[in-house]
Amino acid sequence: MGILDNLGQIKKLDSANMLQNLMDFPDQIEAAWQSAEKLALPTHYLKIKNVVILGMGGSAIGGDLCVGLSLYNSKVPIIIHRDYDLPAFVDHDSLVIAVSYSGNTEETVSGFQAAGEKGAKMLAISSGGDLAPICRKYRAPLLEINYGAQPRAALGYLLTPILGILSRLGILAISRGEIETAIQLLKGLDSKIRPEVPTAKNIAKQLANKLYDRIAIIIGSGALKVAARRWKTQINENAKSAVWAEELPELCHNFIVGLDFPKRLKDKIFVVVLQSKYDHPRNKIRQSVVFQILQQKSIPYEPILMHPSDSALDEMLSAIYLGDYVSYYLAIANGLDPTPIKSIELLKERLAGTK
Ligand code: F6R
């Protein structure tokens, strides 16, 4: 029996029980949607001309997802800002949403402070930290998270409130019914890929085995670009592995000519292509040409067609959920506890010491 089917070994390695957070994902979405419905929003927030979401790492992915969805159904521009300060266009007609699990991430705090100084409309999603006093100072709503997990393992709490709040403000059109459908879909997926399901029937375990000891290249297009990025960050943080995310159609203009060196590249990488029925028809053709190129170069790859669903949101969430499990199993296959992120902690400590 391989380690991925050894439940005792998985439990032993996963000292902080990240598995429970993974299994909670659909329930996190449910609870966070309810909190977003209850949050008091100032009425003048209904008049905004653009939205800037601030966040880093695990706290930024929900913003990415909203940006991805907004391309299909929002007339108001939404951008994600992963940096210090703010873009110059932000003014009192902007809504600036800070998302930080800890509330202490200095890039996010700096942008949120700047939003107050510029007179922008503001809102934070956080457990508190340094964002809380800024909310009090500028009378900005704070949606408090109280979950107790790594930020990346609390995605439901970081992402769903943005969807709920932007829908209430008429910027995105996501209904409670769509969220309920997504939750059911995720529960169904969970039952197929959780640890009790043996490798022979478990696509997440099979993928982790394929990525083992290789550099993963995750490709997505359209709505699934976000999912590819989440796979990358989760494989980095959980499995402590090198991985890159690429997107279509952009990769057809560079990536495909960069596959000849180093000479033994084919023995070192594994390409995963996330596919959706919503992919642009031209990108579907591009995918098949990319597969031919990979075959010619003997580079292993796997297309994964997301279970056909009725919305881009469902496909994004399913692709993200599958990737979260793959990264978890890859950590276990690497013989590692998925939770600790020593280098990130060290970096934050060093920066805090320079203030
Ligand atoms: C840790 C994680 C990190 C953090 C990031 C920002 O699990 O995912 O990427 O999310 O360092 O910290 P927060 O989320 O506290 O703003």
Side-chain angles (χ1 to χ4, degrees):
M1 178 175 60
I3 189 166
L4 297 185
D5 289 331
N6 185 333
L7 301 185
Q9 270 292 101
I10 293 179
K11 204 169 173 191
K12 210 160 143 195
L13 281 172
D14 183 8
S15 68
N17 201 4
M18 185 182 277
L19 178 62
Q20 187 59 53
N21 305 136
L22 264 181
M23 295 192 303
D24 280 352
F25 184 48
D27 294 333
Q28 290 182 21
I29 294 178
E30 168 72 45
W33 182 264
Q34 285 179 18
S35 321
E37 280 180 331
K38 285 186 209 135
L39 185 74
L41 291 174
T43 47
H44 65 285
Y45 279 29
L46 284 163
K47 289 187 208 131
I48 47 175
K49 298 208 171 118
N50 50 67
V51 179
V52 177
I53 303 172
L54 310 175
M56 303 299 299
S59 287
I61 260 329
D64 274 336
L65 200 133
C66 293
V67 173
L69 287 173
S70 73
L71 301 177
Y72 299 91
N73 75 9
S74 168
K75 294 219 161 58
V76 174
I78 306 179
I79 68 155
I80 170 111
H81 184 71
R82 286 184 163 88
D83 207 338
Y84 293 92
D85 306 324
L86 280 178
F89 69 79
V90 172
D91 62 16
H92 54 274
D93 286 329
S94 306
L95 171 63
V96 176
I97 303 180
V99 188
S100 168
Y101 190 91
S102 62
N104 293 327
T105 297
E106 64 175 43
E107 301 92 315
T108 310
V109 172
S110 117
F112 204 52
Q113 184 61 45
E117 285 154 19
K118 280 175 169 250
K121 298 172 177 68
M122 300 159 72
L123 190 150
I125 298 165
S126 175
S127 61
D130 293 341
L131 288 178
I134 306 178
C135 285
R136 282 196 292 275
K137 178 168 173 191
Y138 294 102
R139 295 172 184 233
L142 168 65
L143 192 144
E144 254 187 286
I145 307 165
N146 195 355
Y147 178 58
Q150 280 289 325
R152 63 187 186 281
L155 180 64
Y157 286 105
L158 296 164
L159 133 81
T160 322
I162 323 179
L163 294 177
I165 289 160
L166 293 183
S167 296
R168 283 180 57 197
L169 295 176
I171 293 168
L172 286 179
I174 311 278
S175 65
R176 171 168 261 285
E178 282 172 89
I179 291 292
E180 276 161 10
T181 306
I183 290 171
Q184 290 319 315
L185 202 83
L186 293 174
K187 286 189 173 167
L189 179 58
D190 174 66
S191 69
K192 293 189 189 122
I193 58 178
R194 55 168 61 202
E196 292 83 356
V197 182
T199 304
K201 291 183 178 165
N202 188 323
I203 184 186
K205 290 183 182 179
Q206 290 165 13
L207 278 164
N209 281 332
K210 287 180 181 160
L211 297 183
Y212 179 74
D213 207 25
R214 288 187 175 253
I215 298 169
I217 313 272
I218 316 295
I219 296 176
S221 72
L224 295 185
K225 284 181 203 168
V226 177
R229 184 172 195 150
R230 169 74 173 181
W231 277 57
K232 179 217 174 279
T233 59
Q234 288 290 78
I235 291 175
N236 284 147
E237 292 187 59
N238 290 342
K240 282 75 185 173
S241 294
V243 44
W244 271 265
E246 288 283 343
E247 57 182 57
L248 276 162
E250 175 65 19
L251 69 83
C252 299
H253 303 273
N254 34 65
F255 171 80
I256 49 171
V257 288
L259 296 170
D260 294 337
F261 296 96
K263 278 188 186 149
R264 302 195 61 76
L265 188 72
K266 67 177 175 40
D267 302 323
K268 280 283 139 217
I269 64 174
F270 190 99
V271 178
V272 174
V273 183
L274 304 175
Q275 297 179 308
S276 155
K277 75 170 181 188
Y278 298 102
D279 286 338
H280 191 287
R282 303 294 294 167
N283 278 337
K284 289 186 181 166
I285 300 173
R286 285 173 190 273
Q287 282 167 9
S288 52
V289 181
V290 169
F291 295 151
Q292 285 165 23
I293 295 171
L294 294 173
Q295 277 162 23
Q296 277 162 14
K297 298 188 182 296
S298 307
I299 293 174
Y301 68 92
E302 176 111 359
I304 304 174
L305 180 63
M306 285 300 105
H307 184 73
S309 68
D310 291 337
S311 76
L313 174 69
D314 289 351
E315 297 211 344
M316 277 174 166
L317 291 174
S318 307
I320 284 176
Y321 204 24
L322 175 64
D324 282 9
Y325 264 106
V326 171
S327 70
Y328 178 84
Y329 291 131
L330 190 55
I332 302 293
N334 286 341
L336 294 172
D337 183 343
T339 296
I341 37 170
K342 286 194 189 126
S343 303
I344 297 180
E345 279 157 15
L346 172 87
L347 205 128
K348 287 185 180 181
E349 264 171 44
R350 291 276 162 85
L351 279 163
T354 61
K355 275 186 184 163

